[in-house]
Amino acid sequence: MLRTQSAPRRGMPVLLRRLMPLIVVAVVLVLTYVWVSSLDLDSIEQRTLNADYITARIGEHLVLSIIASVLVAVLAIPAGIAVSRSRSKVFRGVVIGIANIGQATPAIGVVILLAIVWQTGFTTALLALVIYSFLPVLQNTIAGLAQVDPSIRESARGMGMTPSQVLRRVELPLASPVILAGLRTALVFAVGVATVATFINAGGLGDMIINGLKLQRYPVLVVGAILVASIAVLIDWAAGVVEDIVRPKGL
């Protein structure tokens, strides 16, 4: 009886820690709503701080961030596999060097440069986010595959597996925690960097932040900043849950 009763007590702190980001975000959003509701908003602030406008900006922000993260996963993971398989130091240096350029350049610089040489709009912002978020996934894919014990590879080959089967069934599952951590980082990067998409007419919550600054409407600025931070926390939390679910047992 004592053991049965003590199990929930051990589990509750774990559940509380898991749900803490959600609780904190919920409290912050509720307090923000109460604060804004208590203000005497002028006509400009009312046009921005309403459900329709905010919902549209959140939708644009999420679409841009999620599509960029999916493209990064589709491009960076195969690139990391190719680099880890290649014996050419030149190829490895070129791929990592190009990825480093995108990461080292300030986000606003990447966005504006692409807009100057190409066009403004959603597609340009999407490409900028992919370039900026590419490196963490590439590096984590390389690191995750490199940490797989060579003896495990040899054992798999000894069982008659082909190199592609070893990669799919052994190496990638073992490397998945590190790769998923890189994807999680890239997703949070994308949420933050997507705020600068407003400079090239790509929408998103950056519109609220810039409008609040330009028009000196600080409630608009504060609400925009809080929404971006809340989305980043929630997406990081969701990515962490997915990471725990898909992580191979025993790792």
Side-chain angles (χ1 to χ4, degrees), residues 15-213:
L15 179 62
L16 184 61
R17 288 196 298 271
R18 177 63 63 85
L19 296 178
M20 185 57 67
L22 296 181
I23 296 172
V24 171
V25 169
V27 170
V28 170
L29 292 178
V30 168
L31 291 177
T32 303
Y33 176 79
V34 171
W35 171 63
V36 173
S37 299
S38 68
L39 299 176
D40 185 16
L41 303 177
D42 59 30
S43 59
I44 296 176
E45 292 168 339
Q46 289 175 4
R47 285 197 297 269
T48 303
L49 297 177
N50 62 80
D52 292 337
Y53 181 88
I54 291 175
T55 302
R57 299 293 82 75
I58 290 175
E60 292 169 351
H61 206 96
L62 288 175
V63 168
L64 184 60
S65 303
I66 293 173
I67 293 178
S69 300
V70 171
L71 289 176
V72 167
V74 170
L75 296 173
I77 293 177
I81 294 172
V83 169
S84 67
R85 290 291 184 269
S86 176
R87 296 181 180 179
S88 172
K89 293 182 179 179
V90 175
F91 174 73
R92 182 186 184 96
V94 168
V95 174
I96 296 178
I98 293 174
N100 272 316
I101 292 174
Q103 184 72 61
T105 307
I108 184 64
V110 175
V111 171
I112 298 302
L113 285 175
L114 286 175
I116 291 173
V117 302
W118 192 15
Q119 62 182 5
T120 60
F122 179 87
T123 304
T124 302
L126 183 63
L127 179 58
L129 289 183
V130 171
I131 293 173
Y132 196 76
S133 306
F134 192 86
L135 184 62
V137 182
L138 176 70
Q139 286 185 326
N140 279 40
T141 301
I142 296 171
L145 292 173
Q147 73 176 11
V148 177
D149 192 334
S151 63
I152 297 178
R153 294 192 185 97
E154 292 300 324
S155 298
R157 293 192 187 101
M159 295 171 62
M161 290 187 184
T162 63
S164 62
Q165 289 175 328
V166 173
L167 176 65
R168 294 195 312 270
R169 299 182 183 180
V170 179
E171 293 180 283
L172 285 178
L174 291 175
S176 62
V178 180
I179 297 173
L180 290 171
L183 286 171
R184 184 175 176 179
T185 301
L187 187 54
V188 175
F189 272 178
V191 172
V193 176
T195 55
V196 303
T198 185
F199 290 106
I200 57 171
N201 299 321
L205 288 168
D207 284 357
M208 294 184 66
I209 296 174
I210 298 303
N211 289 337
L213 284 172

